[in-house]
Structure formats: C-alpha cells, structure tokens
Amino acid sequence: MGTVISSRFSFEELTLTSDGPEWKTVAPGINIQGICRNRFCQAKNDAVEIQIGFYDSTGGICRLDNEITQLKCPMCKQRLDKNEVQGVGVYRARLQVTSKVRGYEEVVENVEAWNKYLFASCVGEG
C-alpha cells in the first residue's frame, strides 16, 4: 500500500463513463486532475487526468507536493502549472493519506477504491 502525503482531502465517489474524451481516462492507482492551458492542445482549458499509477507494495511513498511539479498533459505533453491542479483520484487501489493540518497535526485516512473511483478536490485548499 502506498502513501500519499499532501494537504487535507475529502474523497467522494464519482461515476466513470466510457464515452468521455481521451484526456479524461483514469487508470488503476493514483490519478491527478489538472487543467491544460496550452492553446494548441485538444484539451485546452479542460480538466485532464494524469495517470500516476501505483507505487511498490513495500511501502512506497508518493509525495504529491513532488509529483505536481512533474505533471504533463496526456495529450500535448506540456507541463501543467502546479496552480492548475484540481485534485487527486484513486481507482482500483488502496492507499493511506497522511495530511498535515495547520502545519503540524498529522491526520491519517485509509482510502479503498476497489470497484469505484474516489476523487478529492483540492481547489480552494490553501
């Protein structure tokens, strides 16, 4: 089980469909949603899903604060600005979220999304 370290998240179940655009495709594991602002991209000004996937089963750690500096649009491959990150999704996976609340208090939440897609928005989180 991997660990995601980031700010406080509240996960909600979203319905997946098979008829959406290619850039909204999620994969098993961790997916990060962001907005592509490349005016030449098919997905311009739309939410795109960046498939992070899985970390090793020996306790691998996914630090979202590191991941968001490496995000690229799945269509045009242009880097996304970290301010364009909208949230994080979990699909067919189990993970543990460790959050720092007010900079010091650690909160741990176990998230299981075996046959569903759970998404936590970070818009408005500061």
Side-chain angles (χ1 to χ4, degrees):
M1 171 172 45
T3 303
V4 177
I5 301 176
S6 186
S7 62
R8 182 177 34 185
F9 286 121
S10 177
F11 286 88
E12 64 178 295
E13 185 173 348
L14 297 182
T15 302
L16 297 177
T17 65
S18 59
D19 60 350
E22 183 179 344
W23 56 87
K24 291 189 182 274
T25 302
V26 300
I30 299 170
N31 297 270
I32 297 179
Q33 186 181 92
I35 305 293
C36 181
R37 298 293 184 197
N38 179 356
R39 64 185 175 129
F40 301 108
C41 182
Q42 291 177 264
K44 72 176 177 196
N45 298 323
D46 199 2
V48 298
E49 295 290 337
I50 297 97
Q51 301 170 357
I52 303 298
F54 292 99
Y55 282 74
D56 66 47
S57 60
T58 60
I61 295 176
C62 172
R63 291 190 58 98
L64 288 186
D65 52 349
N66 291 340
E67 289 294 332
I68 63 173
T69 63
Q70 307 297 320
L71 298 178
K72 293 182 181 179
C73 172
M75 301 307 290
C76 68
K77 308 301 183 214
Q78 179 172 303
R79 282 191 192 263
L80 272 63
D81 185 281
K82 68 180 182 177
N83 296 318
E84 298 295 346
V85 172
Q86 301 292 297
V88 62
V90 182
Y91 181 55
R92 292 187 178 169
R94 174 180 60 182
L95 71 149
Q96 185 178 79
V97 179
T98 303
S99 303
K100 294 256 185 197
V101 178
R102 290 182 287 287
Y104 61 92
E105 178 185 342
E106 282 197 4
V107 176
V108 177
E109 177 185 0
N110 292 307
V111 179
E112 293 192 15
W114 296 118
N115 292 310
K116 56 189 169 186
Y117 182 63
L118 298 178
F119 181 78
S121 174
C122 63
V123 176
E125 302 271 328

